[in-house]
Amino acid sequence: MAEIPAVPEGKPILTKAPRLLSLDFFRGFTVAAMILVNNPGSWSHIYAPLEHSAWHGCTPTDLVFPFFLFIVGVSIVYAMESRKANPELHAAMLVSILRRSLTIIFLGMCLSLVWNFDFAHLRIPGVLFRIGVVFGISSFIYIKTTTKTQLYIAAALLLGYYILMNFVPVPGYGAPNLEPETNLGAWLDRLVFTENHLWKSSKTWDPEGLLGTLPAIGTSLLGILTGTWLKQGKLKALKDLGRIAGTGVLLVVLALIWNLFFPINKSLWTSSFVLFTAGLAIIILSLSYWLIDIKRYQLLIWPFVAFGRNAITAFVLSGILPRLISFIPYTHEGEKTNIWSFHLHVFEAHLSPNNASLISAFTVVLLIFIPIWWMYKKNVIVKV
């Protein structure tokens, strides 16, 4: 897909852009938020909205990952639609998709190993693992099926997951349940990965486990359906986007109803969670499309567009940079420490613990932004 050159801040685009700027903005904002919530100065001092929900429920932080997977779905349409129309290109496309999926999964493994080279306790599921799997399967479905079939598959995944989690007995535990350690997904993860390869904070279940990847594919498929809808018409009238945004509102309402008997839960990636987060994503993307791509309000979007153009690169850097800083030794008042701990100490000397932790997180975002902005200005885009 062709790239457009960087545009100076505050200057509107006068020529037709081959990319959807609102999508780049939404992706970049989501990645910046992901970096922010993943890198607090102290995990003991975090404002409630910047934490994941303890179990059932949804915080702003819980929206970040599903928003990204939804955007993956929209991006699939914009990247592959023209080639999908030619069946002769499908074989090469599928090979490229498989390579990209495996590369993303491999990057996730490397991030886990780079600081602790221990295959015996390597966490296999994870954020990049789920992104790679969801991207690969969603792309295959998009290329080989019609829009109607994609809708049916998304519905089947969400309904099927609801049935599995609520009506299939859990081997060794009995009745189906939605508790962290005894639900069907946790049992499957322990069976496949063993406790040595699951999330280190629990060892008995994983928030990016196998079974929860099924509804996560549904999240991406809803993004694909939205992307297809966006590309089908000119959408120059507010009422046209209103229909799309109205669909988002409908999904949120359905999610809140479903929540009464299948609770919204990010760790389980429940079907109600899929509808709730996809509905909000549709509303946000519709509004962004109207403001950025149609009305051309683009003055403040460019830092987020930069993050959006190299989203995976920014995420990988965020997994390396803070730990790398913590290896740099520093001596303060005769006490040996490291740069990371010292910079947090400086903030804590003037701010409350929560504010110091938050400012530290923003510092990480800014540090990642420096190379990402340089790449954007130089039109350097790293594709996996």
Side-chain angles (χ1 to χ4, degrees):
M1 194 171 179
E3 305 294 341
I4 63 174
V7 179
E9 287 193 39
K11 294 187 178 181
I13 295 176
L14 300 179
T15 58
K16 184 178 179 180
R19 291 183 68 107
L20 195 63
L21 272 180
S22 54
L23 185 61
D24 280 334
F25 165 79
F26 191 16
R27 185 192 299 111
F29 184 87
T30 301
V31 170
M34 190 179 295
I35 295 171
L36 181 74
V37 301
N38 285 344
N39 294 280
S42 170
W43 289 102
S44 300
H45 300 288
I46 308 174
Y47 283 108
L50 301 180
E51 291 190 272
H52 289 292
S53 55
W55 194 240
H56 296 323
C58 187
T59 71
T61 297
D62 290 329
L63 300 175
V64 173
F65 194 15
F67 278 6
F68 189 86
L69 291 185
F70 177 88
I71 293 166
V72 166
V74 179
S75 301
I76 286 171
V77 177
Y78 278 82
M80 302 182 187
E81 184 191 49
S82 60
R83 287 175 293 164
K84 175 186 177 179
N86 185 354
E88 294 181 0
L89 299 177
H90 285 190
M93 290 176 68
L94 293 175
V95 171
S96 176
I97 288 165
L98 179 61
R99 179 191 62 79
R100 292 184 66 185
S101 297
L102 293 177
T103 300
I104 294 170
I105 293 171
F106 177 72
L107 283 174
M109 302 291 183
C110 289
L111 278 180
S112 297
L113 288 170
V114 69
W115 306 114
N116 184 23
F117 199 76
D118 180 11
F119 280 99
H121 297 91
L122 169 67
R123 181 192 178 194
I124 297 176
V127 171
L128 288 177
F129 178 90
R130 178 163 285 183
I131 291 173
V133 172
V134 168
F135 166 76
I137 295 176
S138 299
S139 298
F140 178 86
I141 292 172
Y142 174 69
I143 291 171
K144 290 299 185 181
T145 64
T146 64
T147 299
K148 183 180 292 186
T149 301
Q150 292 156 20
L151 178 60
Y152 290 156
I153 292 174
L157 287 171
L158 299 188
L159 290 172
Y161 185 64
Y162 166 71
I163 293 169
L164 286 173
M165 295 297 288
N166 289 275
F167 297 100
V168 176
V170 182
Y173 293 94
N177 67 90
L178 301 178
E179 297 304 312
E181 298 185 357
T182 57
N183 68 78
L184 187 64
W187 169 81
L188 180 62
D189 289 336
R190 289 194 297 271
L191 178 68
V192 174
F193 299 121
T194 75
E195 295 182 1
N196 289 332
H197 298 289
L198 297 179
W199 186 39
K200 66 180 181 180
S201 296
S202 70
K203 293 295 184 183
T204 55
W205 61 275
D206 199 293
E208 276 78 50
L210 282 178
L211 202 57
T213 302
L214 295 178
I217 295 169
T219 298
S220 180
L221 288 177
L222 289 173
I224 285 175
L225 292 168
T226 303
T228 301
W229 196 353
L230 283 171
K231 290 208 73 175
Q232 279 179 344
K234 298 298 182 181
L235 295 176
K236 295 301 182 184
L238 183 59
K239 65 179 181 180
D240 297 324
L241 277 176
R243 295 189 184 100
I244 298 180
T247 300
V249 173
L250 177 61
L251 291 182
V252 170
V253 172
L254 291 174
L256 294 176
I257 295 172
W258 208 345
N259 174 62
L260 298 176
F261 49 94
F262 195 24
I264 292 172
N265 185 304
K266 186 266 179 187
S267 294
L268 293 176
W269 213 279
T270 54
S271 304
S272 56
F273 177 74
V274 171
L275 295 186
F276 182 71
T277 55
L280 291 177
I282 290 171
I283 294 168
I284 293 172
L285 181 58
S286 301
L287 180 61
S288 299
Y289 186 95
W290 173 253
L291 292 174
I292 296 172
D293 290 296
I294 295 179
K295 303 301 290 184
R296 304 288 181 170
Y297 296 131
Q298 300 170 358
L299 179 62
L300 302 176
I301 70 170
W302 302 109
F304 296 109
V305 170
F307 270 116
R309 294 287 174 86
N310 278 290
I312 296 295
T313 300
F315 182 79
V316 171
L317 285 175
S318 73
I320 295 175
L321 185 62
R323 296 186 183 183
L324 190 62
I325 293 174
S326 69
F327 280 108
I328 302 175
Y330 187 82
T331 301
H332 176 63
E333 296 180 351
E335 182 179 346
K336 292 184 178 180
T337 181
N338 59 71
I339 293 295
W340 178 262
S341 297
F342 175 70
H343 100 281
L344 181 60
H345 171 75
V346 171
F347 291 144
E348 289 177 338
H350 303 281
L351 301 168
S352 69
N354 276 14
N355 284 338
S357 181
L358 179 60
I359 294 299
S360 178
F362 274 114
T363 300
V364 174
V365 176
L366 290 174
L367 288 174
I368 301 298
F369 175 69
I370 293 171
I372 291 299
W373 182 250
W374 177 87
M375 294 171 70
Y376 173 67
K377 297 296 287 186
K378 297 295 183 180
N379 204 27
V380 176
I381 299 177
V382 178
K383 296 183 178 181
V384 296

